[in-house]
Amino acid sequence: MKRIIPFLAAALLFCCCKSTTPRMIEDFNFDWRFKLTEQICSQPDFDDSDWRELHLPHDWSVEGEFSDANPSRPTGGALPGGMGWYRKHFSTPEGIGQGRKCFLEFDGIFMNSTVYVNGQTVGTRPYGYSSFSYDISGYLNGEGEDNVVAVSCDNTEQPNSRWYAGCGIYRNVRMVTVNETHIAYSGVYVTTPEISPEKATVKVQTEVEGDMTGTVLNYTVLDKNGKKVASSTTAELEIPRPHLWDIEDTYQYTLQVCITKDKEILDCYSQKFGVRTIFFDKDKGFFLNGNPVKLKGVCLHHDMGCLGSAIHPRALERELSILKDMGVNAIRTSHNPPAPELLNLCDEMGFVVMDEAFDMWKRRKTRFDYARFFPDWYNKDLSDFIKRDRNHPSIIMWSIGNEVPEQLDAKDESLENLSPEEANFLLNFSDPTNSGDPSESNPNVLLTRHLASIVKALDDTRYVTSGCNHAYTHNNLLRSGALEVLGINYNIAKYDSVRVWFPDTPILGSETASSINSRGVYHFPSSRLEVLPHKFIDQYPEAANTPYPEDHQLTAFDMSRVPWGQTAEEAWYAVRERDFVAGTFLWTGFDYMGEPTPFEWPSRSSYFGVVDLAGFPKDTWWMYRSEWTDNTVLHLLPHWNWKEGDIVDVWAYYNNADEVELFLNGKSLGKSSKEGPRLHAQWTDIAYESGTIEAVSYKNGKEVARDVRRTSGKPVALKLEADRQTISADGYDLSYVTVSAVDENGIEVPTADEMLRFSVSGEGELAGIDNGNAADSLSLKGTQKAMFSGKALGVVRSIKGRKGRITLCVNGYGKDYTIDINSVLLVD
């Protein structure tokens, strides 16, 4: 796969006019200065000489120390917030004020951002997940003169999130210069309303800013290799014999829209798109290009472990590759608009997407969350979100909310108790969906319909849904008629009831499982179900039977879950056995910072992921791989380092076989197989003996696969393995180095916990360190990290323009161990 550059490649088009490219796009991420301060720093002559120099994207929060005293609390990641300022000097581009305009495009600033140019306020945006563009033309000095852009980010009022959000300009920034007559930001919308094997109709809506007198819009469609396949001066084209976009064949076309006047090109805009059909059937689930596809999805939060929330395309690519290998074909952007790079990668790697707008509406979930901004900003934020993302072929659903409290009515919530202005608003909005009973007066039902109507007015080619955790007939969202797919969070026992209550609407497991596990930690007996936390004991009395582990670690056997959730096997089995449930989005694909349920401090990140925060798969990863792919799987657990006489249980995940036989030091312990909802083979009450356990799977009596666990000796050395030995010297690219402990025979030691020291020399820098331990309070940006379950991680980043050798050194067991990464000017 070609490396993805960290700005919107899809927006670039190199077309020539008389002297200047009509649309110039500059990476605006480098040469910034930063400081944490509450002082007003917007004036151009402000002295920032002692500020830190850095390049974006940047998350200052992850650079801090974990502490229970931080106002974000462990739920928000236990990292500091505060007020941060960024400043950058730049020269006024050619032609500004003489027929040219200049824009700054921000993909996301968390949060409460204000942008100043030369001391003047350009704009403010409270929602930290929104992308936006500012016209700064009128704020600039003369051509070639110096200017200062200053950006303030106010994340002092916390808690404002139920997970770690990060702080700062954590997504990419571009400077775009265009002619006064130009295509607007997010101004091209491509649809393919008619598709057959012979042809596909392409319709284009284009938003143009400036004087259109005497201009012509020219439309050209290019295939994947850049060959022209259709062109027109009307907004409707035909592609002959279209190549469809699919999960297994991610073919995309490129639409070029050019504005010309008297043979001069005023602007050119390039937009990738795919040709595909999507359909949800109430009985049979989801169809892509007419073929049934069970959605095997995961929910993903936006942080990337030790990198924090600062977007790194390579980090996203790594995450998605790990999930792809697991069998994942769908992503839910929980619970906010994602970075554009995630959607680009989903388009290219073959994932379908539930693109989500909000975690809350008017009723808050945390004290300072988005609910305080929702009344004034929801329309702008939702509209900008849809317009930005609506050309991605990967997106099949828009989610207008997640578990919003408005599902159920508050005691004083009725039209009679609202202000006249708010009641009027809810009763009189335009509802092009014509959904539900027109005499409905419930304000939450009306709000649901209103949000759905905003979406459908901007994109009527995809389905509207929402994640609902209250599976009742009186749920305002479910009964609104506005949801075209009913997203059911958890509540797997009610799938059949929801089908009866709402028989004409497709159903989806929009959030499932919530099993909680620690990688490489095993509690016996494996048959004992662990249900935590206790705080919901009135609703879920089974939680009373589980003591809190003092070490803040949970079993890696799939026998640990939250009270409202299910084990991974239970949740998937309920979806697998029901054709009418279109699929699942399990909670979650990766562990994420914040929300360390069921624990408080010193835990500071989640246990929900199938993959831990460092990117190391937990055992249930192989369960999903065995169920979600045709690749042969045989995975044995646990490790085989116990005490003589311990009573141990053994599981095996497998597929493409009828049964599995287990051997202990060459002696058969019998055969086992899956049974109904139990999706693993198992052997219980084994008296531990050091040596080897080996599993062999069989199909019709013939061997299919083997997997072995060996008892290791004491750890004496480290093994370093880089996922990529060569990276680009662009200041963005990354190499992930896995550090494992081994014994004198080179066998990995799964229980090693040695404290390691990391350092980098040469033409790169240490971007972060991790070990996957949710209860480790050492900094992810420091130099020391203990191994957890025998592993740790170091992440190396290149430095812009500096090619050559990067050496990562890891000290452990009294010795330095090194690995070299090659940084070059270009990597394909």
Side-chain angles (χ1 to χ4, degrees), residues 2 12 49 61 94 96 145 217 235 259 274 342-343 345 350 393 429-431 434 548 566 568 600 670 733 742 809:
K2 290 186 177 180
L12 292 173
S49 59
S61 187
E94 178 183 353
I96 302 302
E145 294 184 21
L217 286 173
I259 307 173
L342 174 67
L343 300 176
L345 284 165
F429 69 82
S430 171
D431 181 11
N434 295 313
Y548 277 94
Q566 298 81 37
E600 292 292 338
D733 209 0
V742 295
C809 177

Side-chain angles (χ1 to χ4, degrees), residues 98 118 141 158 211 218 237 253 299 315 317 329 425 427 433 440 443 450 490 502 509 622 628 633 638 681 685 754 766:
Q98 299 176 356
N118 294 327
N141 296 319
Q158 298 198 25
D211 184 6
N218 297 277
L237 305 89
Y253 293 91
C299 300
E317 185 183 46
N329 63 16
F425 160 75
L427 285 171
T433 62
E440 179 65 63
H450 176 52
Y490 310 107
F502 306 99
W622 279 271
W628 288 4
V633 172
D685 300 327
E754 175 82 349
L766 186 63

Side-chain angles (χ1 to χ4, degrees), residues 303-308 310-320 322 590 612-616 719-727 732-739 758 765-770 781 792-798 808 810 819-821:
D303 79 78
M304 286 161 283
C306 61
L307 304 179
I311 190 69
H312 286 77
R314 171 56 197 155
L316 285 174
E317 185 183 46
R318 174 180 180 255
E319 283 190 2
L320 292 176
I322 293 168
F590 271 67
D612 74 16
L613 200 66
F616 303 138
K719 178 175 66 175
L720 276 58
E721 299 172 285
D723 69 337
R724 298 162 78 229
Q725 292 285 164
T726 301
I727 61 176
Y732 296 109
D733 209 0
L734 304 170
S735 179
Y736 283 79
V737 179
T738 298
V739 184
F758 293 77
E765 59 189 358
L766 186 63
I769 55 177
D770 205 348
K781 294 292 188 178
L793 179 76
V795 184
V796 173
R797 183 168 71 175
S798 66
L808 173 67
V810 184
I819 189 169
D820 290 336
I821 310 297

Side-chain angles (χ1 to χ4, degrees), residues 759-764 796 805-809 817-821:
S759 61
V760 168
S761 59
E763 308 307 320
V796 173
R805 180 183 299 173
I806 307 170
T807 300
L808 173 67
C809 177
Y817 298 84
T818 63
I819 189 169
D820 290 336
I821 310 297

Side-chain angles (χ1 to χ4, degrees), residues 427-447:
L427 285 171
N428 295 310
F429 69 82
S430 171
D431 181 11
T433 62
N434 295 313
S435 52
D437 180 2
S439 65
E440 179 65 63
S441 62
N442 182 285
N444 295 316
V445 171
L446 295 174
L447 180 56

Side-chain angles (χ1 to χ4, degrees), residues 557-598:
F557 287 115
D558 185 29
M559 290 298 289
S560 180
R561 63 169 175 83
V562 295
W564 60 87
Q566 298 81 37
T567 65
E569 294 185 21
E570 289 172 335
W572 167 238
Y573 186 80
V575 172
R576 191 189 77 178
E577 297 301 301
R578 291 169 171 82
D579 288 344
F580 69 87
V581 180
T584 181
F585 288 89
L586 66 95
W587 191 261
T588 53
F590 271 67
D591 279 340
Y592 53 94
M593 294 166 66
E595 201 171 24
T597 306

